[in-house]
Amino acid sequence: MADVNRYYLINLQLFADDGTGEKTEKATPRRREEARKKGQVFKSADLNSAVILMAGTIAILATFPAMVSNLGDFTRLYILDRTLVDFDSGYAFFLLLETMKIIAKIVLPILMVTFLAALMISYLQVGFVMSSEALTPKLERLNPIEGFKRIFSKRALVELAKSLMKIGVTGYIVYTVIKKNLFILPRFIDMELTAAMSVLGSIIVEVAFKIGIVFIIIGVLDYIFQWSEYEKSIMMSKYEVKQEYKQTEGDPLIKSKQRQIQRQASMQRMMAEVPKADVVITNPTHFAVALQYQADVMEAPQVIAKGQDYLAFKIREIAQAHDVTIVENPPLARTLFYTADIGDLVPEDLYQAVAEVLAFVYKQKKKAF
């Protein structure tokens, strides 16, 4: 009953440590692993978009000369050099296939680069995560009160600020680039198709490149914000940390009780060996060491029990009850207590002293008979 009361007292103390349940402690590795298994990871969607935009822009810039050349060859070969007489349904179908081929030839490298960029930036942010937790239906998501809280939450305000910033930056960049190249636009009428495409493409790439740089800066800032919010979301209270420690390492009260039971069982086994002893050497009150010697099976006398203070008293008491000889030899008792454990043979340097004690015991037993 006392142990039960103590257990509840400890739990009340744990609750008292953090009665408000305020989460003030950093998440433990176990908490982080559990959150990851549930799919709770942090990443910046803006950083993903910015990297994909930059990768696509660089891919377009790298393949742009070949793109213009291929389109120019296609136009001259299949459109400009053909007359209306030759343009029948068969040629239209053939032209459709060739158009699909040229589009694939131009677009596929860009798509491949952006796809790899998306995989890379996602992996760098969250690693490899497989979880179906996010797909599990949750009724609390239908709660209108919680929905309003999310709409007017800190995260929603940050997302609104980012959206306004991106719209403003994008508009400003497009305006400045077009303003800088405004004098070129009327000349498109007199330009060849390939030249017009080259100029227009360079303008688009310039806009995309500048926007991409700004978006990457926004993405990095958003990544820091997402990390901060994630760390706050998985923080733990002091009580949760202690509860987790109890689950992983074991309840300290239970472990203490187990150790106590083990010590009691060990003591009982040791006391059960005392009646088998040939002699108990004492201090006479502070130490007691019980020795057993069987010449046919033992190389030297063996320590089968030892104790200090109360245990020494119990060993002497059991020895007296079973007519085991008790010999007072303080120096030998202390030396045996500190140099030999239960089950050990007597150290060689004590053979002589122990032999003299055993000889005395055997002599006393012979006189008794």
Side-chain angles (χ1 to χ4, degrees), residues 13-78:
Q13 290 174 344
L14 290 176
F15 279 110
D17 288 341
D18 195 24
T20 61
E22 185 178 358
K23 300 183 183 299
T24 58
E25 307 300 310
K26 288 186 177 180
T28 61
R30 183 184 178 189
R31 179 63 170 267
R32 294 178 184 277
E33 184 64 26
E34 289 176 350
R36 187 174 181 84
K37 287 180 180 179
K38 294 178 181 178
Q40 297 176 3
V41 293
F42 74 95
K43 68 174 182 178
S44 171
D46 292 300
L47 186 58
N48 281 19
S49 302
V51 170
I52 293 171
L53 176 61
M54 285 297 294
T57 302
I58 293 173
I60 292 173
L61 188 62
T63 60
F64 191 72
M67 186 189 308
V68 173
S69 176
N70 289 331
L71 286 175
D73 294 339
F74 175 83
T75 303
R76 285 190 298 270
L77 183 61
Y78 295 109

Side-chain angles (χ1 to χ4, degrees), residues 73-251:
D73 294 339
F74 175 83
T75 303
R76 285 190 298 270
L77 183 61
Y78 295 109
I79 298 178
L80 298 181
D81 294 343
R82 291 284 178 174
T83 62
L84 292 177
V85 177
D86 298 323
F87 201 94
D88 54 11
S89 59
Y91 181 72
F93 181 73
F94 170 76
L95 185 60
L96 176 63
L97 294 179
E98 292 299 317
T99 303
M100 293 175 63
K101 289 181 182 179
I102 195 66
I103 291 175
K105 191 175 180 180
I106 293 172
V107 173
L108 282 180
I110 300 172
L111 292 179
M112 185 62 67
V113 170
T114 53
F115 176 72
L116 293 176
L119 285 181
M120 180 191 70
I121 191 61
S122 296
Y123 181 79
L124 289 177
Q125 288 193 77
V126 301
F128 183 75
V129 179
M130 289 288 291
S131 175
S132 60
E133 184 74 16
L135 302 177
T136 305
K138 294 184 179 180
L139 295 179
E140 58 266 24
R141 293 176 180 173
L142 302 178
N143 189 339
I145 298 177
E146 294 297 324
F148 278 114
K149 287 182 179 179
R150 287 194 294 269
I151 292 173
F152 298 101
S153 64
K154 178 182 176 182
R155 182 182 293 273
L157 292 176
V158 171
E159 292 297 326
L160 176 61
K162 286 191 303 180
S163 299
L164 294 176
M165 184 184 300
K166 287 188 286 187
I167 292 172
V169 168
T170 302
Y172 176 76
I173 291 174
V174 171
Y175 170 75
T176 54
V177 172
I178 291 179
K179 183 179 180 181
K180 183 179 70 173
N181 297 279
L182 192 61
F183 70 97
I184 301 178
L185 298 181
R187 301 180 184 179
F188 281 168
I189 300 174
D190 301 325
M191 287 185 183
E192 293 184 358
L193 180 61
T194 55
M197 290 180 59
S198 178
V199 173
L200 184 60
S202 64
I203 294 174
I204 294 173
V205 168
E206 182 182 357
V207 171
F209 195 77
K210 289 182 177 180
I211 292 174
I213 292 176
V214 176
F215 277 23
I216 283 181
I217 296 173
I218 296 175
V220 170
L221 296 176
D222 181 62
Y223 180 84
I224 296 172
F225 171 77
Q226 298 294 342
W227 171 80
S228 175
E229 290 295 298
Y230 175 77
E231 289 296 317
K232 290 179 182 178
S233 69
I234 62 172
M235 286 182 72
M236 306 170 66
S237 66
K238 291 180 180 180
Y239 175 73
E240 289 174 330
V241 173
K242 292 176 182 178
Q243 286 296 98
E244 181 182 297
Y245 176 80
K246 286 167 61 176
Q247 292 173 3
T248 56
E249 301 295 331
D251 191 330

